[in-house]
Amino acid sequence: MAGSLVFRKFDHVKEELTKCIESFMSQFACVWEECGYNKETIEQRCESIKTHHWRLFEDMLEEEQETKTGIIKKIENYLKEASELSQDLGVHIEVTGYESLPLCDVERSLRNKIENYRKVKEQRMEKLSRLQHRERVICDTLDIQPSQDFANKVPTEQQLEEFEAYINEKNEEKARLLQVFQDTKSTIINLMTELEIVPSLQFEKLVVCEQDSVFRLTKENMTSLRQLHQRLERQLEETKAEATELREKLSLLWDRLHEDYRHREELLSTHRGHSTSTLRALKEELKRCEELKRQNIKRFVEEIRKELKQWWDNCCVGEMERANFLPFSSDCYTEDLLELHELEVEKYRSHYNENMVIFELANKRQELWDKMLELEDRANDPNRLFHNRGGQLLLEEKERKNIQKELPKVEKELCKYIELYEEKSHKPFKFHGERVIDIINKQWEAHKNNKEQQKMAKKVARDHLLEVESKLGSQSRAAKRKIVPATPAPSSVKQRKVIKNDGTCATEKHFRPKPCTTVSRNIFPETRTNSDVSGDSNLTTYTDFQDHLEVLNQEGTCRSSVVPGRCLRERNMQVVTPLKTPSKIPSKLFPTPGTAIKSTPQSRATPIKPPRKNVTGQQSTTKTSRTIPRLVRGTQNSPMYQREVVDW
C-alpha cells in the first residue's frame, strides 16, 4: 500500500517534470533559435542541460541514499542504546516486530521509546546525585567514608531506596549526636560557671565559644567531649567534697577554739557553694584556725580526748583495748600527739558509721529482750489478775507473741551482719571486749538457768507447804468454818440400796432432813491462840494453813471462789501468830540457817472481790543476780551501748 502510494506520487512527479522539461526545452529552443546557434552549439547546450539534470538527479539520489543510511544508522544506534538502557535500568526493552514497517516508522518508534527510558535514567541519576551530595555532607560532618560508589552507573530503584534509607539513618545519627553535643555543651557551660573557670584549651574553646555548626560530630570529638564532661563532673564532685571537708574541719576547729558564732555565720553565709573563691576563703580560714590550734595544743588534746572517749563508748570498746592506746595517758602535748588522737577518733568514727546497722540491730534486740523479761516478771506477779482493766492481759499476751516472733528474726539478722563483718575484716566484732554472739548466748543461758532456779524454788515451797498440810490435818480445816446445826426440816423421800448380811440387796427408804445452817463469815478473827485448834502436838499455826491454801489455789485444787490466797495473806499479816512463815520465797534459793526472813505487811487490808473462777494465788519467785553484758541505747552525749547488770 505504501509502495503504491509512492509510485502514484512518482507518476505524478514524472508527469510534472515532463511538462516542466518540455516547457523549458521549448523556451530554450526559442532562445537558441533567436540567437542563431548552429546545430553543434545547440547539441552542446542540450548535452549540458542533460548532463546538469543527470548530475542533479544523481546528487539528489545520493543524498536520499545518505538519508536512508542515516535512518538505518539511527535505528541501529537506538537498538544499541535500548540494549544498554535495558542493562542499566534493569528492565527489558522490546525492539522486535518492526520488520514490516518502513525505516522512518521504525526509527520514530524506537526514538520515542528510547527517549522515555532516557528520562527514567536521567531521573535516577539526578536522584543519585542528590543523595550522594547529602551523603558527602553527612560523611564530612561525621568523618566517615561513603558507603558505596556507583561509578557513574545507573542504580536500580531498589538500590536507590536502600541508599536513601542509609542516608536517612546517618542523618538521624547526625541529629542525635548534634543533640547530645548541644546538651553536653550546655552542661559543660553550667559546670564551668559553677566552678568559676574559663576555657583554656583549644578544644574547650571550640566547644564553648564556637557555633554548633563548626563542631564536627566525629568519634574523636565526641569522645573528647564526653571526657571533658566527665572531667568537669569529677572536678565538681571533688570540689564539693573538698568544700564539705573544709567546712567540717572548720566546724570542729571552731568548736574547739570556741569561735564566735557570729563570725562563723558570717563566713559561711558569705562563701556558699563550692566555687574557687569559696574554697580559697575556706582554706585561708582553716589556715588561721590551724595556727590558733598550734598555739592551744593542750586544750585541743584534752577536748579530742573527750571526743575519743565518747566514740569509745559509742562503739562499746573494752577497757583493755582502750588501755592499749598509750597516747591517751601521755602528758607531752605536741602536734604529733594531737594527730594520733585525731587518727584514733577517725578510726572509731568510721567503724561506727560503717557498722551502724549492727549497732541498730543490737539495740533493737536488747529492747526486745528487756521487754520479754518485763513481761515475764509481770506474768509472775499475782496482783496482775486484779488489775486487768482495759484488756491489759490480752495486750500483754499479744505483745509477748510479737516478741517471740520478732526476737529470733532480729538475732538472726544481727548474726548475719556480724558474720559478714568478721569475714571481711578477719576479726571478731566485740562489745566491751566480748563477742556479741557470745553475749547473746550468755543471756539465753542465764535466762534458762533462772527459769530452772524458779522451778526449783517453787518446788521447794510446794513441798514445804505439803508438809505443813500434813501437820494441820482435819482440825485445821474444821477451824475455818463453824457450822451450827438447826432444827431439821422434812425433805423428800430418798431411796437407797442396802446390802444385807446374807448378800441380798434391798431398797431402803429414809428421810434426809434439810439442815438450816448458820455459817460464820468472820474468817479473819482479830486474835487467835493455840486453844482454838485441837491439842495435837503435830499441828502448827494458822499461817501454815494459809500457805497450804495458797498452794491449793496455785495448783487449781481449791474450789473456793470467795477467798483467794492473797486475802488470807493480807488479813493474816495483821494478827499475831506464834510462828511467822515467809509470804515469799527469799531471793536466795537456800538461805543460811538461822537467818530471819522478814515479811512486809500488805498495804491493802480489805481484799477486792475476786472473780468466780479459780484464781491463781501468789506465785513464789526467786531472783538471783547475774552480771551479763547488756546493750542499751544512749543519748548523744552518752554511750550508745553500755554494760549494765541485769537482775534475774
Side-chain angles (χ1 to χ4, degrees):
M1 182 178 178
S4 61
L5 179 60
V6 172
F7 283 108
R8 285 199 302 270
K9 290 289 185 182
F10 175 74
D11 293 339
H12 177 69
V13 172
K14 184 174 65 173
E15 292 177 357
E16 291 291 333
L17 287 177
T18 302
K19 291 179 180 181
C20 182
I21 291 172
E22 289 178 353
S23 174
F24 277 102
M25 289 305 294
S26 297
Q27 294 178 13
F28 281 137
C30 291
V31 173
W32 290 340
E33 185 178 358
E34 292 176 356
C35 289
Y37 294 141
N38 58 17
K39 183 179 179 180
E40 293 177 359
T41 302
I42 293 173
E43 288 179 0
Q44 289 177 358
R45 289 188 180 277
C46 289
E47 189 65 28
S48 297
I49 292 173
K50 186 178 68 172
T51 302
H52 178 73
H53 283 83
W54 185 263
R55 290 178 179 177
L56 177 61
F57 279 112
E58 285 181 351
D59 292 338
M60 291 179 65
L61 181 59
E62 184 179 359
E63 184 177 353
E64 293 298 328
Q65 290 291 343
E66 290 177 356
T67 301
K68 176 184 175 182
T69 303
I71 293 174
I72 294 174
K73 188 175 182 180
K74 286 182 180 180
I75 292 174
E76 292 175 353
N77 292 334
Y78 288 151
L79 293 175
K80 182 179 179 181
E81 187 176 359
S83 177
E84 294 175 355
L85 289 173
S86 177
Q87 183 177 0
D88 292 340
L89 299 178
V91 295
H92 176 69
I93 301 177
E94 185 65 36
V95 293
T96 58
Y98 299 104
E99 292 81 3
S100 59
L101 295 178
L103 294 178
C104 292
D105 294 340
V106 174
E107 187 271 338
R108 187 184 306 108
S109 177
L110 290 175
R111 183 176 68 248
N112 294 333
K113 185 177 292 187
I114 293 301
E115 286 179 355
N116 293 332
Y117 283 102
R118 283 175 182 170
K119 290 180 180 179
V120 174
K121 179 179 179 180
E122 290 175 358
Q123 291 175 356
R124 291 187 183 181
M125 295 303 293
E126 289 178 359
K127 186 175 181 180
L128 176 62
S129 178
R130 292 195 303 270
L131 293 176
Q132 287 178 337
H133 176 71
R134 291 179 57 191
E135 183 187 27
R136 284 193 298 270
V137 174
I138 295 175
C139 291
D140 182 65
T141 304
L142 301 178
D143 193 22
I144 58 177
Q145 295 297 328
S147 61
Q148 56 183 346
D149 186 8
F150 292 95
N152 298 326
K153 294 182 180 179
V154 181
T156 62
E157 290 292 340
Q158 182 179 0
Q159 290 175 335
L160 287 175
E161 291 177 358
E162 294 175 354
F163 187 43
E164 186 175 10
Y166 166 77
I167 293 176
N168 292 335
E169 180 182 353
K170 291 301 177 183
N171 193 33
E172 292 177 358
E173 178 70 13
K174 174 186 174 182
R176 185 187 66 82
L177 292 176
L178 180 60
Q179 185 65 38
V180 172
F181 165 71
Q182 292 174 347
D183 295 342
T184 308
K185 176 181 178 180
S186 177
T187 305
I188 289 174
I189 293 176
N190 293 334
L191 290 173
M192 288 186 172
T193 303
E194 189 174 0
L195 292 171
E196 294 184 354
I197 59 177
V198 295
S200 57
L201 301 177
Q202 186 65 30
F203 184 77
E204 294 178 355
K205 295 179 180 180
L206 174 64
V207 173
V208 178
C209 303
E210 298 294 340
Q211 297 293 331
D212 295 348
S213 58
V214 178
F215 186 84
R216 297 180 62 193
L217 304 173
T218 62
K219 291 184 179 180
E220 292 78 8
N221 287 346
M222 296 302 295
T223 302
S224 301
L225 181 70
R226 183 172 62 255
Q227 292 175 353
L228 174 61
H229 182 208
Q230 293 175 354
R231 178 169 60 84
L232 291 176
E233 282 188 338
R234 287 196 302 269
Q235 185 176 351
L236 179 63
E237 293 298 329
E238 292 173 358
T239 304
K240 288 182 179 180
E242 185 179 3
T244 302
E245 183 180 0
L246 289 174
R247 289 187 175 91
E248 291 177 354
K249 289 182 178 180
L250 280 177
S251 179
L252 183 61
L253 287 174
W254 283 338
D255 292 339
R256 293 175 180 173
L257 292 172
H258 303 287
E259 193 68 32
D260 186 17
Y261 283 96
R262 184 179 302 174
H263 172 71
R264 304 185 189 186
E265 294 177 357
E266 182 179 357
L267 180 66
L268 294 178
S269 61
T270 304
H271 301 283
R272 298 179 180 274
H274 37 269
S275 61
T276 305
S277 59
T278 299
L279 292 179
R280 188 183 305 110
L282 293 177
K283 289 179 181 178
E284 291 177 357
E285 177 66 14
L286 182 63
K287 183 178 180 181
R288 184 185 71 84
C289 294
E290 289 287 349
E291 182 63 27
L292 292 177
K293 182 183 73 173
R294 285 190 291 270
Q295 297 174 4
N296 301 272
I297 192 69
K298 180 178 180 180
R299 187 176 66 181
F300 269 78
V301 171
E302 291 176 351
E303 291 185 0
I304 200 172
R305 281 177 176 174
K306 295 179 182 178
E307 184 179 356
L308 176 59
K309 187 176 180 181
Q310 180 179 351
W311 283 112
W312 278 346
D313 294 339
N314 291 344
C315 296
C316 300
V317 180
E319 296 297 333
M320 184 177 298
E321 188 175 355
R322 300 187 185 194
N324 290 335
F325 184 66
L326 300 179
F328 191 82
S329 59
S330 176
D331 56 356
C332 183
Y333 301 100
T334 61
E335 293 186 7
D336 294 337
L337 182 66
L338 179 61
E339 184 177 358
L340 291 175
H341 282 77
E342 290 176 347
L343 292 176
E344 192 74 3
V345 168
E346 182 61 27
K347 169 186 173 182
Y348 286 101
R349 182 191 291 113
S350 301
H351 174 71
Y352 180 81
N353 294 331
E354 291 174 359
N355 303 282
M356 187 177 296
V357 62
I358 296 180
F359 292 106
E360 291 178 352
L361 287 173
N363 178 72
K364 183 177 180 181
R365 186 262 172 195
Q366 188 60 47
E367 290 177 354
L368 293 173
W369 179 266
D370 294 341
K371 193 64 178 178
M372 181 187 73
L373 298 182
E374 180 184 352
L375 292 176
E376 289 181 355
D377 292 340
R378 292 182 185 177
N380 294 329
D381 184 11
N383 295 328
R384 62 195 288 266
L385 300 175
F386 301 100
H387 301 283
N388 184 25
R389 290 176 174 84
Q392 183 64 29
L393 296 181
L394 181 60
L395 295 177
E396 291 181 6
E397 183 63 23
K398 291 182 179 180
E399 193 171 4
R400 185 179 297 106
K401 291 181 179 180
N402 182 51
I403 292 176
Q404 292 176 354
K405 180 180 178 181
E406 291 295 327
L407 185 59
K409 293 182 180 179
V410 174
E411 289 183 347
K412 183 179 180 180
E413 189 174 3
L414 176 61
C415 294
K416 181 187 71 174
Y417 279 102
I418 291 177
E419 290 177 359
L420 293 177
Y421 169 83
E422 293 179 350
E423 291 178 1
K424 182 179 179 180
S425 60
H426 303 288
K427 60 180 180 180
F429 195 94
K430 295 182 178 181
F431 277 6
H432 302 287
E434 190 173 2
R435 296 180 70 238
V436 178
I437 299 178
D438 296 338
I439 294 176
I440 295 175
N441 293 334
K442 287 184 178 181
Q443 286 183 342
W444 281 110
E445 185 66 25
H447 182 265
K448 179 180 178 181
N449 295 335
N450 180 53
K451 290 290 186 181
E452 294 295 332
Q453 292 178 4
Q454 289 181 358
K455 291 181 180 179
M456 292 177 61
K458 290 179 180 180
K459 183 177 183 302
V460 170
R462 185 164 54 252
D463 294 343
H464 173 69
L465 293 179
L466 290 176
E467 181 180 356
V468 171
E469 180 186 16
S470 63
K471 293 179 180 180
L472 287 175
S474 60
Q475 295 181 2
S476 176
R477 289 190 296 271
K480 181 178 180 181
R481 294 185 178 181
K482 296 180 179 180
I483 302 176
V484 180
T487 304
S491 62
S492 60
V493 179
K494 300 290 183 177
Q495 294 183 358
R496 65 177 180 177
K497 293 182 179 181
V498 179
I499 301 177
K500 297 182 179 181
N501 294 332
D502 56 358
T504 60
C505 182
T507 301
E508 176 182 341
K509 296 183 178 180
H510 70 281
F511 291 91
R512 181 179 178 183
K514 294 183 178 180
C516 179
T517 61
T518 302
V519 180
S520 176
R521 295 297 180 182
N522 187 14
I523 62 175
F524 302 111
E526 296 296 332
T527 58
R528 183 175 180 85
T529 61
N530 292 338
S531 61
D532 296 336
V533 184
S534 300
D536 192 346
S537 60
N538 294 327
L539 296 181
T540 58
T541 63
Y542 184 62
T543 305
D544 296 332
F545 166 71
Q546 293 176 189
D547 294 338
H548 172 63
L549 184 59
E550 291 180 5
V551 173
L552 295 180
N553 284 336
Q554 294 175 1
E555 295 178 351
T557 56
C558 179
R559 300 182 179 274
S560 174
S561 61
V562 178
V563 183
R566 66 182 300 277
C567 298
L568 296 176
R569 175 66 58 201
E570 292 172 356
R571 189 68 176 179
N572 189 52
M573 299 306 297
Q574 301 177 4
V575 301
V576 179
T577 56
L579 179 62
K580 294 184 178 180
T581 303
S583 61
K584 293 185 179 180
I585 301 300
S587 59
K588 293 184 180 181
L589 186 60
F590 301 102
T592 306
T595 303
I597 300 176
K598 298 181 180 181
S599 61
T600 304
Q602 301 294 327
S603 60
R604 184 185 297 274
T606 303
I608 301 175
K609 183 178 180 180
R612 288 300 178 182
K613 296 181 180 180
N614 182 29
V615 181
T616 304
Q618 183 177 1
Q619 297 181 5
S620 300
T621 58
T622 302
K623 293 187 178 180
T624 58
S625 178
R626 291 289 186 270
T627 302
I628 60 175
R630 182 188 180 197
L631 307 177
V632 181
R633 180 179 293 277
T635 61
Q636 183 178 4
N637 298 324
S638 63
M640 182 175 181
Y641 302 100
Q642 57 186 1
R643 293 176 70 96
E644 290 189 358
V645 177
V646 179
D647 295 331
W648 301 93

